[in-house]
Amino acid sequence: MSVKVASEWLNSCSGCEISIVDMGERLLDVLNLVDFVHIPVLMDHKYFGQTGDGQHLAIPEADVGIISGGIRNEDHLEVALEMRKQCKLIIALGTCATHGGIPALSNSYANPDLLARYYSTESTTPAERLPSDGIPPLLDSAYALDEKIKVDVYLPGCPPHSDQIFGALVALLEGKAPTLRGKSVCDTCPTIREGKGQLKQLRRFLQKPKFTPGEPIDRMRCLLEQGILCMGPVTRAGCGGDSVIPRCISARVPCRGCYGPVRHDGNQRLDMLNALASNGIDIQSLPESTSLLRFSGAHQLLRPQKGR
C-alpha cells in the first residue's frame, strides 16, 4: 500500500519544491511508492472545498506531511496547525522551516516599520491606509515551524540538496529515521588550510579569490584564510549532496551558511563571531554584519523586543 503524503509551502520562495523536482528520474521511483493527497504546487486542491463552500480549512489525512517555509502570518499558522493535525509525521523542509531562514531577518524590525518600508518608500506617495482586504494579519515575528508545531524530521538547506530529500523519503518508506551529517562545511571542504593566526582582517567578496584556473579545488587556499568571510566553520555540511564537496566552495565562492548551525539548537551567528575572534580577527573589520544573520533564523535570535 502506498504512503499518503501531504505537502505545503508557507513563508518561502518555492526553492525547496524545485529541489524536489531536481530529483529527476528518482522522483518517478518515489511517485510509484507515495500518493500525494495534497500538494498545491503540483495539483489543485482547495482549502475550503473545490467549490469554495467549506466553512473550515481542510487538508486530507496523510502519513507524511512536508512543510517548507516558516510561519509569518495567521494563514501560515492555520495551515501549519491543520497539517500537524492531519499528518502522522511532519518534515520541516529547508532552512526557512527549520530555523526561519532569510525571511526571519524581518525579526530585526517591528511590523509597523516593515509595513511602512514596504508601502512607503522615498519614491512613492504615502499610502492613505495600509491594505487589509484579503490579506492575512502578520504575527509578531517570523517563526520556525517547531516554535508553533511539533516537527519530527528536519531537512535544512536553502534549498536542501535533492540527494538528501530522496534519501530521507526512501528512509521513511523503509521505516527508518533519516539522518543528517553532524559535521561542518569545513570538515568536508577540500581546500588547503595552513593554520590559525595568520589572518587579522576580512574583506568584501568583491575580488575573486586566489587560485589557478583549471586546477582542482583541493589546490586552492581556504577562502577564510584568504580574508573572505566564509561561514563554513559553523554551518552544517550537506549542501554538496552525495558528492560531499560543498556547492559554494566548488564554485570558488564562500559558504553563506544556508544549512544552518551544525547543531540544530546552535547559535550560528555567535559561534561564527567566536570562531573569528579565536583566530585573532578583528570583529570590527567585518565588511557586512548582516551576512552573519542570513540563515541563523528565528530560534531566539532575532525576536523583536517588547515595546518596539
Side-chain angles (χ1 to χ4, degrees):
M1 185 174 66
S2 61
V3 175
K4 292 183 178 180
V5 177
S7 177
E8 266 291 349
W9 55 3
L10 305 178
N11 192 30
S12 61
C13 70
S14 81
C16 293
E17 283 68 29
I18 292 175
S19 194
I20 293 176
V21 175
D22 281 346
M23 284 192 287
E25 293 183 358
R26 295 177 298 181
L27 180 58
L28 299 178
D29 297 330
V30 172
L31 292 177
N32 287 329
L33 299 173
V34 305
D35 177 20
F36 278 102
V37 296
H38 175 78
I39 178 168
V41 70
L42 290 181
M43 68 186 203
D44 183 24
H45 179 268
K46 301 294 192 298
Y47 291 136
F48 295 91
Q50 293 302 104
T51 60
D53 57 353
Q55 299 299 313
H56 303 284
L57 183 148
I59 292 175
E61 291 185 357
D63 300 300
V64 177
I66 302 174
I67 304 178
S68 65
I71 298 172
R72 190 63 180 93
N73 61 40
E74 292 185 2
D75 275 10
H76 295 153
L77 180 58
E78 183 179 7
V79 171
L81 291 173
E82 183 68 11
M83 284 284 287
R84 179 68 274 182
K85 176 183 175 182
Q86 296 295 94
C87 302
K88 297 177 182 177
L89 180 146
I90 290 291
I91 299 175
L93 181 66
T95 303
C96 291
T98 62
H99 289 86
I102 290 177
L105 285 173
S106 67
N107 291 355
S108 297
Y109 309 93
N111 285 341
D113 297 332
L114 290 173
L115 295 174
R117 174 66 178 174
Y118 188 85
Y119 289 106
S120 301
T121 65
E122 294 84 355
S123 60
T124 62
T125 301
E128 180 179 345
R129 62 183 178 84
L130 297 178
S132 58
D133 294 341
I135 299 177
L138 293 175
L139 300 180
D140 61 328
S141 60
Y143 290 92
L145 284 186
D146 64 6
E147 293 183 295
K148 292 296 183 180
I149 65 172
K150 180 179 180 294
V151 170
D152 302 291
V153 177
Y154 296 86
L155 289 179
C158 189
H161 197 287
S162 56
D163 290 347
Q164 294 170 340
I165 297 176
F166 178 73
L169 291 175
V170 170
L172 290 172
L173 292 172
E174 295 176 348
K176 303 176 183 177
T179 58
L180 293 175
R181 292 191 178 97
K183 296 181 178 180
S184 71
V185 167
C186 275
D187 292 329
T188 61
C189 178
T191 58
I192 299 171
R193 278 171 280 184
E194 298 182 0
K196 300 179 180 180
Q198 300 181 29
L199 180 66
K200 301 301 180 183
Q201 195 170 24
L202 296 176
R203 60 183 175 85
R204 291 179 179 273
F205 185 59
L206 299 177
Q207 299 174 331
K208 69 178 183 180
K210 296 178 180 179
F211 66 93
T212 302
E215 286 191 347
I217 195 70
D218 60 5
R219 299 293 298 276
M220 182 181 74
R221 176 84 181 275
C222 165
L223 295 176
L224 186 59
E225 292 187 2
Q226 290 192 44
I228 300 171
L229 182 59
C230 180
M231 297 286 287
V234 298
T235 301
R236 184 189 290 274
C239 62
D242 293 343
S243 66
V244 180
I245 297 177
R247 273 177 167 177
C248 289
I249 305 299
S250 66
R252 321 282 179 168
V253 175
C255 169
R256 281 295 179 249
C258 75
Y259 264 62
V262 180
R263 294 176 293 104
H264 178 73
D265 58 349
N267 187 324
Q268 196 178 15
R269 174 177 58 175
L270 180 60
D271 289 345
M272 188 65 196
L273 291 173
N274 287 336
L276 295 176
S278 66
N279 279 275
I281 297 172
D282 179 10
I283 302 301
Q284 300 301 319
S285 72
L286 293 182
E288 43 184 317
S289 60
T290 55
S291 63
L292 294 178
L293 304 175
R294 292 182 64 191
F295 295 96
S296 298
H299 280 265
Q300 301 177 359
L301 266 179
L302 303 173
R303 187 75 61 242
Q305 298 178 1
K306 294 181 179 179
R308 283 195 61 182

